[in-house]
Amino acid sequence: MRRIVAGAGWGTLVSVGLATVIAAPIAAVFSQALTGSSGGLWSHLASTVLPDYVVNTLALLVLVALMTLVTGVACAWAVTMHEFRGRSVLQWALLLPLAMPAYVLAYTYTDFFQFTGPLQTALRAAFGWRKADYWFPEIHSLGGAAFVLSSVLYPYVYVLARSAFLEQSACVLEVSRTLGATPFGTFWRVALPLARPALAAGVGYALMETLADFGAVKYFGIDTFTVGIYRTWFALASPVAAAQLASLLLLFVVLVVALERVSRGRMRFHQTTNKYRALPTVRLGAGRTALAWLVCGTPVFFGFVLPAVILLRLIWLGGDEAWDTAIAKPALNSFMLAASGAVVVVSVGLAVIHGVRSERSRLAAVAARVATLGYATPGTVIAVGILISIGAVGAWFDLPTGALLGATVFGILYGYLIRFFQVAYGPLESGFSKVSPNIEGAARSLGSGPVQVLFLVQMPLLRASILSAALLVFVDIMKELPATMILRPFNFDTLAVEAFRMASTERLDAAALPALIIVLVGLLPVILLSRSLNSSRPGHRR
């Protein structure tokens, strides 16, 4: 082992070090869960609330999987394989819900659908009803939480499904039609099976986000693992019991990842030609165009348009009080954290990928892949793991690590590095793959070292990829809630925390402005993603 470390270059050491840093909090959670003592609290939780955590989490996963799969596939097939008026608008509009955090949707729909909200008030006024005269679905329910989460997570399936449909061979689809298949038969028996790996990946992303969600389920009063971890840590003051719940949640994450890999199987599909023809599309008449707009417009309406209108209405009704809310400090904190986190995460990503490419080390490549697993870990688990590991290190070495990292900005940035490293790693790795190794070799032959090659050669060529990665990390940090709530210093609020705090005290009008700012910032990567998706098919222009 010493010989391997001694012979390793700086790139390998950086990759292995990062993997260790990211794995440490996760390992700390399992260690605390296995070796710590909760003083009988775990037995109490297991006999009272743990069954509810398991059942609610599983039910939520099943409902979100079905809703996102049906919505994402239907919309992707409609806008990819059909020609109709307004199709180009729907192609990018279907991505808009990505800008809307689930907890913001929960706040807005509570205001709109509750008994005293504008919808039920209008129904009672129009029909003369009283409360006992009609039934209305309860938004604060498991079904309501699944609806809210699916409304903002279906774009994961839509993006990957549309990319898969765009990359399919036009010849295969045409042959199926010549053999007598109907349009639906071609979709069901040819296109859908070919897109199965992409669909499995999209649903997997949606389910991981569902497991990680805290704001929406907490606000709706749905007892899931993330809510249980937060409650056990703060209300019951039991780090050991919180770690035990977190370890179970991690097992759910591993199960989701494993199911996604199994569902994809070993299916791989490749084009056998470099020639691309336009996909065979069906031109729709007036009636079917209306149906296509109904199918594709409904998720856009409920996932973005209606919540945005409700937020604007709340701000309008709040009048001067909505603008007088002390929002300047949370906004400054949010932008500071997002900018700092983007710089840290992108810088580490650049160092890791450059090291892997420079040394061609298998150990470095494996360590880099391990580092990306933090994205699959919920923010509550990461926060609990960081606090446990920081406390353990401080106790072992008699160091004031708690004062340095615990409940500080440094601790928050540490959590962001673990949670969002994969967000930056993907665009950066894609950008590096387009840089010819010959360019790097030429620079090295002229006497440039690895660091000079990175700063003088690769980074100027990777400007677009670096900006994309930084933007994605920036926006994800702006929306992040559970890890920030647990790791933040005292009296240090962000826009997400401020919106959650106001909504939790039923001050929805005060929560509207910080929520709207988060949504507006979130539109930036949506625009970027829309532009890249429209040009994803080689030889295809729109």
Side-chain angles (χ1 to χ4, degrees), residues 232-258:
T232 304
W233 184 278
F234 286 97
L236 302 180
S238 177
V240 176
Q244 291 168 335
L245 287 175
S247 63
L248 285 180
L249 179 56
L250 282 175
L251 294 180
F252 269 89
V253 173
V254 171
L255 178 62
V256 169
V257 174

Side-chain angles (χ1 to χ4, degrees), residues 6 31 40 78 94-95 150 155 172 174 208 421:
S31 175
L94 283 162
L95 298 172
S150 301
V172 172
E174 289 175 345
M208 284 189 288
F421 176 76

Side-chain angles (χ1 to χ4, degrees), residues 9 23 65 122 204-205 224 239 298 323 361 392 451 453 484 487 524:
Y205 281 126
T224 61
T298 300
W323 296 97
S361 168
V451 177
V453 171
T484 306
L487 295 172
L524 297 176

Side-chain angles (χ1 to χ4, degrees), residues 69-151:
L69 181 63
V70 172
T71 304
V73 171
C75 294
W77 184 255
V79 299
T80 304
M81 303 303 297
H82 299 87
E83 288 280 356
F84 56 91
R85 187 180 298 274
R87 171 196 184 196
S88 60
V89 174
L90 288 173
Q91 286 176 347
W92 61 264
L94 283 162
L95 298 172
L96 290 176
L98 281 176
M100 190 74 63
Y103 53 83
V104 172
L105 218 65
Y107 310 154
T108 57
Y109 279 161
T110 294
D111 174 79
F112 188 72
F113 289 117
Q114 64 184 346
F115 180 76
T116 58
L119 181 59
Q120 292 199 55
T121 300
L123 289 175
R124 291 194 299 271
F127 298 100
W129 291 340
R130 296 183 178 181
K131 184 176 182 180
D133 295 336
Y134 69 99
W135 174 86
F136 197 85
E138 176 59 53
I139 188 66
H140 281 220
S141 62
L142 185 65
F147 169 71
V148 163
L149 288 168
S150 301
S151 295

Side-chain angles (χ1 to χ4, degrees), residues 473-494:
V473 174
F474 183 93
V475 173
D476 275 345
I477 291 176
M478 287 284 295
K479 297 190 294 184
E480 208 286 327
L481 177 63
T484 306
M485 285 188 65
I486 296 175
L487 295 172
R488 66 193 170 105
F490 176 74
N491 201 27
F492 185 91
D493 292 336
T494 63

Side-chain angles (χ1 to χ4, degrees), residues 151-420:
S151 295
V152 298
L153 295 178
Y154 81 85
Y156 286 107
V157 181
Y158 164 75
V159 167
L160 294 178
R162 185 165 174 238
S163 296
F165 292 150
L166 284 171
E167 293 170 0
Q168 289 181 2
S169 170
C171 298
V172 172
L173 301 178
E174 289 175 345
V175 167
S176 68
R177 297 299 303 275
T178 61
L179 293 176
T182 62
F184 180 78
T186 299
F187 162 75
W188 186 256
R189 300 176 62 182
V190 179
L192 198 59
L194 289 175
R196 198 181 83 181
L199 301 182
V203 173
Y205 281 126
L207 294 184
M208 284 189 288
E209 291 293 334
T210 300
L211 286 173
D213 179 74
F214 170 78
V217 292
K218 176 68 168 63
Y219 186 69
F220 278 177
I222 308 299
D223 288 337
T224 61
F225 273 102
T226 52
V227 175
I229 293 168
Y230 185 85
R231 183 183 298 155
T232 304
W233 184 278
F234 286 97
L236 302 180
S238 177
V240 176
Q244 291 168 335
L245 287 175
S247 63
L248 285 180
L249 179 56
L250 282 175
L251 294 180
F252 269 89
V253 173
V254 171
L255 178 62
V256 169
V257 174
L259 288 176
E260 183 263 330
R261 296 291 174 87
V262 170
S263 62
R264 279 202 268 177
R266 296 184 177 273
M267 298 180 68
R268 299 291 186 272
F269 306 102
H270 306 281
Q271 287 283 357
T272 57
T273 176
N274 291 327
K275 297 180 180 179
Y276 288 81
R277 294 188 293 107
L279 292 171
T281 57
V282 178
R283 184 171 295 277
L284 302 182
R288 292 190 176 184
T289 294
L291 179 61
W293 266 93
L294 179 65
V295 170
C296 300
T298 300
V300 176
F301 177 77
F302 285 107
F304 183 83
V305 176
L306 181 58
V309 171
I310 295 173
L311 287 176
L312 293 173
R313 171 183 171 272
L314 287 171
I315 294 174
W316 176 266
L317 293 178
D320 294 337
E321 294 182 3
W323 296 97
D324 290 342
T325 304
I327 199 174
K329 187 175 180 181
L332 181 62
N333 292 338
S334 293
F335 281 96
M336 182 270 293
L337 283 178
S340 302
V343 170
V344 170
V345 175
V346 171
S347 298
V348 173
L350 281 171
V352 169
I353 299 176
H354 176 65
V356 171
R357 282 172 60 93
S358 298
E359 299 180 10
R360 311 287 182 182
S361 168
R362 184 174 181 84
L363 177 61
V366 172
R369 289 300 174 187
V370 171
T372 63
L373 297 179
Y375 184 70
T377 307
T380 49
V381 177
I382 292 174
V384 169
I386 288 176
L387 294 177
I388 292 174
S389 58
I390 288 173
V393 171
W396 290 341
F397 298 100
D398 194 22
L399 296 174
T401 52
L404 294 176
L405 289 177
T408 66
V409 172
F410 296 104
I412 298 177
L413 294 178
Y414 181 24
Y416 291 161
L417 175 61
I418 298 174
R419 182 78 172 89
F420 301 119

